[in-house]
Amino acid sequence: MKSFKSISAPGSSRRLFGAVLFTGLMGVAAATQAGPTVDLTFGSGLFPAGSKGTTIEYNNGTFSTGPKGVAAGMFSGVASNPTGGFELSSLYLSEGNVLAYCIDILNGLLRNTSTYNVQDVTQSMVVDPDGVRRDLGRTLQFLGAANQVAATRIGGPDFGDKNWLNPSYNWMSAAIQVGIWESLYEDSGSILSTGTGWFTASSIGTEGNLFLSDSFELMQSQQAPAALKASQVKWLQTDSGQDLLVDPVDVPAPAPLFLLLGGLALLLRRRV
């Protein structure tokens, strides 16, 4: 295991858990509450669209990870054993192909079957466990911009607000992952760029870097597209491994609710 440097407290250290090529995420028990859970398993075919190697580093002046070599890309796993009302049928593709991105840079990805707390995300959500700030609201803004940029680069079907879940190339998969980290961890007062600031990442190739620069420029422009809806993602949290952002969970209203709403609308029309 490798230790992280703590600039403010030279005598202390934090530990990296996991394989060499996987970045990790930090436990955030203080930011979570009891609620729904789901098990995830990651086996073969971990990167369905491929990945690219990059070196990332986080340094906010108080805490530093040091440079870490990682594989950046979208994961695919298998979901099982939901509790607390979480429905596997609500996942974008299927329980056997759950698409996920890393939102943690301190712990390793758990490959064996592990239980995650299912957390909601809000449109302007910022969490700051142990002094490592994560801006989930800004990540939703990045994903909105990435969806629009991807529409011009996919070279195939346009999946609209699900373009971020359908990268056609390994450089696109890697770019979206690195963009998620950059938007999550960068200082709130800094321009988004993987070359400077609290979070940095080395080159992921010419096409991947261009995808990122176009997405960052678009989201920070006057014509910035709408952010991805918070209802289209779930944050899967675990204290023992890597936290994940999983695919949209667009759950249709139950049929009885549709019938009730339809009946109310009919009554209102009659009264008018």
Side-chain angles (χ1 to χ4, degrees), residues 46-190:
L46 180 62
F47 296 105
S51 65
K52 289 185 73 71
T54 182
T55 299
I56 66 172
E57 182 172 3
Y58 176 82
N59 186 341
N60 66 359
T62 301
F63 175 74
S64 173
T65 63
K68 300 297 174 185
V70 301
M74 182 182 71
F75 303 141
S76 174
V78 176
S80 60
N81 193 31
T83 70
F86 183 74
E87 298 287 343
L88 295 182
S89 60
S90 69
L91 294 165
Y92 169 45
L93 292 181
S94 71
E95 61 193 79
N97 187 15
V98 180
L99 304 179
Y101 287 91
C102 165
I103 57 167
D104 196 328
I105 53 174
L106 295 183
N107 298 318
L109 178 69
L110 300 175
R111 298 295 296 268
N112 296 327
T113 301
S114 304
T115 300
Y116 295 79
N117 300 308
V118 181
Q119 305 289 334
D120 289 327
V121 173
T122 65
Q123 213 66 49
S124 58
M125 186 173 185
V126 177
V127 293
D128 189 14
D130 299 328
V132 180
R133 181 182 185 276
R134 284 192 276 182
D135 191 335
L136 288 154
R138 186 168 57 187
T139 295
L140 294 175
Q141 295 171 1
F142 164 72
L143 293 174
N147 280 333
Q148 185 163 316
V149 173
T152 66
R153 300 178 185 275
I154 287 177
D158 181 359
F159 296 93
D161 60 7
K162 295 179 177 58
N163 278 336
W164 70 290
L165 295 166
N166 291 278
S168 300
Y169 310 99
N170 65 338
W171 58 261
M172 186 179 293
S173 179
I176 294 172
Q177 175 62 89
V178 171
I180 287 173
W181 285 328
E182 170 69 19
S183 59
L184 269 175
Y185 289 102
E186 192 50 79
D187 181 7
S188 59
S190 298

Side-chain angles (χ1 to χ4, degrees), residues 244-267:
L244 303 170
L245 195 69
V246 299
D247 53 14
V249 284
D250 294 330
V251 183
L257 179 58
F258 278 121
L259 294 174
L260 176 60
L261 293 176
L264 289 174
L266 183 59
L267 284 174

Side-chain angles (χ1 to χ4, degrees), residues 10 14 16 24 28 31 44 51 117 194-195 197 199 204 215 237 258 265:
R14 302 194 183 203
L16 174 68
V28 288
S44 60
S51 65
N117 300 308
T194 57
F199 176 85
I204 51 174
S215 297
Q237 182 273 332
F258 278 121

